[in-house]
């Protein structure tokens, strides 16, 4: 079996970290931090990679090639908390992605992102094979949304999957941290309270395909 590439390992690690409760950085931000190091990974085409607001921030505020970039990290934290400042970088990223040929979403506020990871594609292929096998053998296959994450028992993951249903999002949709925080407040989500009284209780095991 061939070895897993560095880029796949890094992407999988970053995606897993971003799913941790209260983890402060997105996948794009983690890639930005990695760029500031001497660690070398194969570069993807800049024309197909989505430009993030953090990418635009780094273009304006150059990171030191060597040495401590703590000041830059603190500046980025303050920018994210300033709605006017972050909107500038959001707009820069939007314009850069439109120039690359990406399309706007339905409300025109952002571009359509392909959030399907390598692991998600593999899960899709396995589910498809199981469905085909069931059809060949004349057995039933319950076609339900697929759970692509890990830790299907946690209250947060069940809340997120239930929330996607309420908002008519696909099961591989990835919430921005700021959006998820707003939804937590809106639906009074408390990770320490997880009982049958919550509509998202055991949502994944009851309503989704798990591998």
């Amino acid at each position: 079996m061939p070895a897993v590439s560095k880029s796949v390992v890094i992407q999988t690690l970053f995606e897993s970290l971003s799913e941790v409760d209260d983890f402060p950085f997105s996948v794009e931000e983690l890639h930005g931090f990695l760029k500031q190091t001497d660690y070398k990974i194969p570069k993807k085409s800049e024309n197909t990679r989505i430009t993030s607001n953090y990418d635009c921030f780094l273009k304006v505020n150059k990171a030191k090639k060597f040495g401590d970039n703590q000041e830059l990290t603190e500046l980025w934290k303050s920018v994210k908390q300033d709605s006017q400042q972050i909107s500038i970088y959001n707009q820069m990223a939007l314009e850069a992605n439109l120039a690359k040929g990406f399309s706007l979403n339905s409300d025109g506020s952002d571009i359509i992102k392909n959030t399907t990871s390598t692991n998600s594609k593999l899960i899709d292929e396995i589910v498809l094979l199981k469905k085909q096998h069931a059809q060949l053998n004349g057995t039933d296959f319950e076609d339900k949304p697929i759970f692509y994450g890990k830790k299907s028992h946690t209250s947060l993951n069940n809340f997120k999957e239930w929330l996607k249903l309420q908002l008519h999002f696909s099961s591989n949709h990835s919430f921005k941290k700021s959006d998820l925080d707003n939804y937590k407040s809106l639906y009074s989500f408390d990770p320490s309270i997880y009982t049958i009284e919550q509509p998202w209780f055991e949502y994944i095991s009851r309503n989704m395909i798990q591998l």
Side-chain angles (χ1 to χ4, degrees), residues 143-165:
D143 200 2
K144 299 187 291 186
I146 301 170
F147 175 63
Y148 292 98
K150 303 176 182 65
K151 299 182 179 179
S152 60
H153 64 283
T154 67
S155 58
L156 178 59
N157 281 340
N158 278 276
F159 171 70
K160 288 195 292 186
E161 297 305 326
W162 172 84
L163 185 59
K164 291 174 189 177
L165 176 69

Side-chain angles (χ1 to χ4, degrees), residues 23-34:
F23 187 74
F25 303 112
S26 66
V27 172
E28 291 81 5
E29 289 169 346
L30 290 171
H31 277 294
F33 294 144
L34 185 61

Side-chain angles (χ1 to χ4, degrees), residues 3-174:
V4 179
S5 69
K6 289 181 180 179
S7 58
V8 171
V9 172
I10 291 169
Q11 181 67 19
T12 302
L13 172 62
F14 287 177
E15 288 175 355
S16 297
L17 285 172
S18 68
E19 293 177 357
V20 175
D21 293 359
D22 298 323
F23 187 74
F25 303 112
S26 66
V27 172
E28 291 81 5
E29 289 169 346
L30 290 171
H31 277 294
F33 294 144
L34 185 61
K35 286 180 181 178
Q36 299 176 33
T37 72
D38 294 327
Y39 190 78
K40 304 296 183 184
I41 59 174
K43 291 184 177 180
K44 294 183 179 180
S45 169
E46 287 296 321
N47 289 329
T48 57
R49 191 180 74 83
I50 292 176
T51 297
S52 69
N53 52 11
Y54 187 66
D55 291 327
C56 297
F57 169 80
L58 288 179
K59 286 183 179 180
V60 176
N61 304 275
K62 300 293 184 183
K64 298 176 184 177
K65 191 170 182 63
F66 302 100
D68 186 10
N69 279 290
Q70 184 62 32
E71 290 184 7
L72 193 64
T73 301
E74 293 300 323
L75 178 58
W76 174 238
K77 287 182 180 179
S78 67
V79 166
K80 289 195 296 181
Q81 295 172 356
D82 186 322
S83 59
Q84 290 185 332
Q85 285 290 315
I86 196 63
S87 67
I88 293 174
Y89 295 110
N90 287 342
Q91 184 62 31
M92 290 172 63
L94 179 62
E95 292 174 359
N97 288 317
L98 290 176
K100 290 179 181 180
F102 289 101
S103 302
L104 285 171
N105 60 16
S106 58
D107 63 8
S109 62
D110 200 354
I111 60 165
I112 298 173
K113 297 181 176 69
N114 178 11
T115 59
T116 307
S117 66
T118 302
N119 184 60
S120 298
K121 291 177 182 177
L122 179 60
I123 291 174
D124 283 336
E125 291 177 5
I126 293 173
V127 171
L128 178 60
L129 287 173
K130 286 189 173 185
K131 186 175 183 179
Q132 291 174 341
H133 183 266
Q135 290 174 339
L136 287 172
N137 287 277
T139 56
D140 293 332
F141 182 86
E142 195 171 1
D143 200 2
K144 299 187 291 186
I146 301 170
F147 175 63
Y148 292 98
K150 303 176 182 65
K151 299 182 179 179
S152 60
H153 64 283
T154 67
S155 58
L156 178 59
N157 281 340
N158 278 276
F159 171 70
K160 288 195 292 186
E161 297 305 326
W162 172 84
L163 185 59
K164 291 174 189 177
L165 176 69
Q166 310 309 306
L167 301 174
H168 305 289
F169 290 159
S170 66
S171 58
N172 62 358
H173 175 81
S174 179

